Amino acid sequence: MKILHINSYYSVSPFYKNLFEEQIRHGSIVNVYVAVAKGFDFTSINLGEYTKISLNHNRYDRYFFHIKHFKILKDIVRQYDIREFDILHAHSLFSNGYIAYKLYKRYGIPYIVAVRNTDVNVFFKYMLHLRKLGIKVLHNAKLVVFLSSKYREHTIVSYVPSNLQKEISDKSVILPNGVDRFWLNNKFNGSRNIKKNEIKIIYAGLISRNKNISTTVKACEILRSAGYNVKFTIVGRAEDKKEFRLIKLHDFINYIDQQPKENLLNLYRLNDIFVMPSIAETFGLVYVEAMSQGLPLIYTKGQGFDGYFEDGTVGYSVNCMNAWEISKRIIDIIENYKSISKNCLIFCNNFDWNIIAGKYKDIYEE
């Protein structure tokens, strides 16, 4: 099986390397095409010898969808003999999916397409002039990959015409991203308990408006006013200065700059509950990282991670803007901590890249 991955996100999301190398291990011939703007510095990153990073458009071309993608399409045809491939795998609906669709129309090579957070919350939501194009890419794909059932439901109900909804639903699958092997190899070994006289909450990731740390802080304040001794550790790079200033106002918050995974693992083990009520999230691998260390989760209702598990299994989904609901669900976790923590350690294995690559192989062959 010879696969051409079209993945413009790979240059900034290196976790895809796990998938590509598992596919090679499973016997596939893998090529990865990454289109980036001129001036992009890729000298310090290693994306594998099977990857071609191509600087083929200007950074201002992103404001003109068809100009940018005309340049990318022209370049990919120059870089590869497309007829050599058995299947194309586009890692987003609009940007990468459009290229796969055009190659399919020209060469007849079938493609599968993934739907990402940007596709749903930016392209479909705001770029009304491109909606028909998105539907066309979905309609011509052999298979559509959603990272969660909630994203599939929202996309199909909100944006797909009624006469195509069943077709798109029938040819779609739910396949999550996998977690870095480091986390499964270093899974917490044992049983976790929580001390009710000190509740230790942690968040790890970018400090940005989308990650909604301010609402988590309000939830901590509610719990503290109810008599809970809550400590909140925030780990990550400060992207939003307003959110960062908020952190500095509270003495119950411990801020730690971005850390390597080895240090982050130890920080997870020192805390009790992982809370990330993002406003928008395709999936959120950081949830699985926390699960691997036995930390129950608070995640956003209707976003990427929601739908994999019933509420109360590995944590709870919440209205991301409702601090009262978040605080109540943290209490629910405290009351059922041991069983939820145990479930996290069991179910994090669902996100093993080896298993996911095997499922992709079955899809390709079908």
Side-chain angles (χ1 to χ4, degrees):
M1 178 72 63
K2 191 168 184 179
I3 310 152
L4 176 59
H5 289 275
I6 306 170
N7 190 343
S8 58
Y9 298 91
Y10 187 30
S11 59
V12 292
S13 300
F15 69 85
Y16 285 107
K17 191 172 187 178
N18 296 281
L19 171 62
F20 303 144
E21 298 198 346
E22 283 293 339
Q23 288 185 334
I24 291 169
R25 196 174 67 80
H26 279 251
S28 295
I29 300 170
V30 170
N31 286 262
V32 183
Y33 175 79
V34 184
V36 295
K38 293 173 182 175
F40 178 81
D41 181 12
F42 58 88
T43 55
S44 61
I45 55 177
N46 176 18
L47 300 182
E49 61 184 14
Y50 45 80
T51 300
K52 189 181 295 293
I53 301 176
S54 187
L55 287 71
N56 50 43
H57 58 279
N58 300 312
R59 62 192 181 111
Y60 294 110
D61 287 338
R62 66 192 180 97
Y63 297 108
F64 306 97
F65 183 89
H66 289 286
I67 293 174
K68 173 184 173 181
H69 291 88
F70 173 79
K71 292 180 179 180
I72 294 172
L73 181 62
K74 186 177 178 181
D75 181 69
I76 196 172
V77 170
R78 186 171 62 248
Q79 300 279 5
Y80 299 98
D81 181 355
I82 303 300
R83 295 178 184 85
E84 290 184 352
F85 295 98
D86 298 301
I87 196 162
L88 311 172
H89 186 154
H91 287 264
S92 71
L93 173 59
F94 284 88
S95 295
N96 302 155
Y98 174 73
I99 300 300
Y101 163 72
K102 296 296 281 187
L103 293 175
Y104 162 71
K105 297 301 283 186
R106 186 181 300 184
Y107 300 101
I109 310 297
Y111 67 92
I112 72 171
V113 63
V115 180
R116 294 170 54 94
N117 171 43
T118 307
D119 296 315
V120 178
N121 290 310
V122 177
F123 282 99
F124 265 135
K125 189 173 183 179
Y126 297 113
M127 298 187 182
L128 306 187
H129 62 293
L130 292 176
R131 280 189 184 177
K132 286 185 179 179
L133 176 60
I135 300 303
K136 192 179 291 185
V137 174
L138 288 172
H139 179 56
N140 285 274
K142 285 294 181 183
L143 187 129
V144 182
V145 177
F146 291 93
L147 295 182
S148 77
S149 59
K150 295 295 183 181
Y151 258 57
R152 175 167 66 179
E153 179 184 342
H154 177 64
T155 301
I156 293 174
V157 171
S158 301
Y159 302 115
V160 175
S162 57
N163 64 313
L164 292 177
Q165 287 182 356
K166 185 178 186 305
E167 176 199 324
I168 303 302
S169 181
D170 288 348
K171 68 176 180 181
S172 66
V173 297
I174 308 300
L175 264 180
N177 288 323
V179 71
D180 191 293
R181 172 55 56 182
F182 170 84
W183 297 100
L184 299 181
N185 288 345
N186 292 279
K187 190 166 68 169
F188 182 76
N189 183 23
S191 177
R192 293 188 59 119
N193 293 291
I194 192 168
K195 298 177 182 177
K196 293 190 178 182
N197 62 336
E198 186 179 50
I199 312 303
K200 292 177 286 186
I201 293 170
I202 188 169
Y203 161 79
L206 272 181
I207 298 169
S208 67
R209 181 179 176 276
N210 181 58
K211 300 302 181 180
N212 199 23
I213 295 169
S214 57
T215 304
T216 304
V217 172
K218 290 175 186 175
C220 291
E221 291 176 319
I222 292 168
L223 289 168
R224 288 173 66 84
S225 66
Y228 291 90
N229 181 18
V230 174
K231 303 293 184 184
F232 185 21
T233 297
I234 297 171
V235 186
R237 177 170 58 83
E239 183 181 81
D240 188 294
K241 297 295 187 273
K242 184 178 179 181
E243 291 280 316
F244 187 64
R245 284 196 297 270
L246 173 71
I247 291 169
K248 296 294 187 179
L249 295 175
H250 302 278
D251 57 7
F252 64 85
I253 296 177
N254 175 32
Y255 169 69
I256 301 171
D257 202 355
Q258 186 175 10
Q259 295 293 307
K261 57 191 175 186
E262 293 79 9
N263 294 354
L264 185 56
L265 179 143
N266 291 324
L267 289 167
Y268 282 145
R269 292 182 178 182
L270 291 171
N271 286 275
D272 303 313
I273 301 169
F274 182 87
V275 179
M276 188 174 80
S278 300
I279 296 170
E281 194 79 55
T282 299
F283 177 68
L285 282 171
V286 69
Y287 293 124
V288 186
E289 294 174 4
M291 283 174 63
S292 75
Q293 304 310 307
L295 270 66
L297 313 172
I298 298 292
Y299 48 92
T300 303
K301 191 173 295 180
Q303 289 298 312
F305 193 79
D306 187 23
Y308 282 106
F309 305 102
E310 290 185 9
D311 270 352
T313 305
V314 299
Y316 291 94
S317 63
V318 295
N319 177 338
C320 65
M321 304 309 294
N322 191 328
W324 287 97
E325 183 180 355
I326 294 171
S327 65
K328 181 182 182 303
R329 287 311 196 179
I330 289 172
I331 293 171
D332 290 339
I333 287 173
I334 294 168
E335 297 301 322
N336 300 279
Y337 189 83
K338 198 164 185 175
S339 63
I340 296 175
S341 174
K342 183 179 178 181
N343 287 339
C344 289
L345 293 170
I346 294 170
F347 290 119
C348 68
N349 294 313
N350 292 0
F351 305 95
D352 186 333
W353 274 118
N354 181 42
I355 295 171
I356 294 165
K359 290 179 179 178
Y360 272 118
K361 183 179 180 183
D362 292 341
I363 287 169
Y364 294 154
E365 289 175 351
E366 183 181 346

